[in-house]
Amino acid sequence: MINIVLLEPEIPANTGNIGRTCCATGSRLHLIEPLGFQISDKMLKRAGMDYWDKLDVTVYDCYEDFLEKNPQAAGNMFMATTKAHQTYTDVSYPEDAYIMFGKESAGIPEEILVDNEKNAIRIPMNHNIRSLNLSNSVAIVLYEALRQNSFLEAERDGQLHRLHWHNK
């Protein structure tokens, strides 16, 4: 199971959208406080639609609390940042990867990035654009990790129902 880690997310709609994406992909969501909203926030629930109750989500008091409760994340965590030297497609994601994203206004703090530089990844974009929307960034990187792992348990085949139209 892929793990999505949001460090101090600020915008409830983004986190709701990310929660919905996690439900759709069978991924686990980790939220590290402080949050810019309450978990009961209606914007969060609205963006997550009727999937929020199906979400595997854990909230942590701080980054150290997250690391303490997830020792398997050490050395297995990729950090999405515009400051990385490698792209998100340059790395190999294990089935139980942790992919961290920072808060919308500032990203992941430098002191965390410096200690994890070899696992820092970026999404290529035009030089005059600061960043993508957080929920879009999560979806891009998460689906690459899933693709590399044959989409794990996700349903791969859709069913097209052909309608037979007759001219009268």
Side-chain angles (χ1 to χ4, degrees):
M1 173 184 304
I2 303 290
N3 296 274
I4 298 299
V5 182
L6 301 183
L7 179 64
E8 303 177 4
E10 299 167 313
I11 302 173
N14 283 339
T15 300
N17 287 332
I18 292 164
R20 185 175 181 178
T21 300
C22 286
C23 285
T25 59
S27 302
R28 182 176 292 133
L29 180 60
H30 304 265
L31 302 175
I32 301 174
E33 293 185 324
L35 308 179
F37 49 86
Q38 299 294 318
I39 292 295
S40 60
D41 192 307
K42 81 175 168 182
M43 291 297 293
L44 176 77
K45 301 278 172 84
R46 183 178 300 148
M49 300 197 54
D50 55 346
Y51 301 104
W52 196 258
D53 64 328
K54 297 169 182 61
L55 179 62
D56 183 353
V57 61
T58 306
V59 179
Y60 304 90
D61 293 335
C62 61
Y63 181 62
E64 291 73 21
D65 182 40
F66 165 78
L67 291 176
E68 182 180 305
K69 292 178 178 166
N70 295 278
Q72 66 278 20
N76 196 25
M77 186 155 45
F78 299 87
M79 302 203 168
T81 174
T82 58
K83 300 170 184 172
H85 300 292
Q86 60 190 346
T87 70
Y88 72 102
T89 59
D90 291 336
V91 300
S92 295
Y93 302 92
E95 288 183 8
D96 59 346
Y98 286 76
I99 307 169
M100 178 181 278
F101 298 82
K103 63 183 168 183
E104 290 90 339
S105 65
I108 299 171
E110 290 275 337
E111 57 271 15
I112 294 174
L113 291 174
V114 168
D115 290 340
N116 296 280
E117 187 174 358
K118 68 178 176 39
N119 287 338
I121 55 171
R122 67 176 282 119
I123 299 170
M125 63 188 90
N126 289 336
H127 68 278
N128 57 346
I129 299 297
R130 192 183 71 224
S131 65
L132 293 171
N133 174 275
L134 180 60
S135 61
N136 292 337
S137 296
V138 169
I140 289 167
V141 178
L142 174 56
Y143 268 91
E144 173 60 17
L146 290 168
R147 184 194 67 78
Q148 289 184 15
N149 287 284
S150 300
F151 295 99
L152 298 173
E153 302 297 320
E155 184 176 330
R156 293 177 54 114
D157 298 319
Q159 300 296 321
L160 180 63
H161 300 284
R162 296 179 186 258
L163 299 176
H164 299 284
W165 296 94
H166 301 285
N167 292 335
K168 293 185 179 186

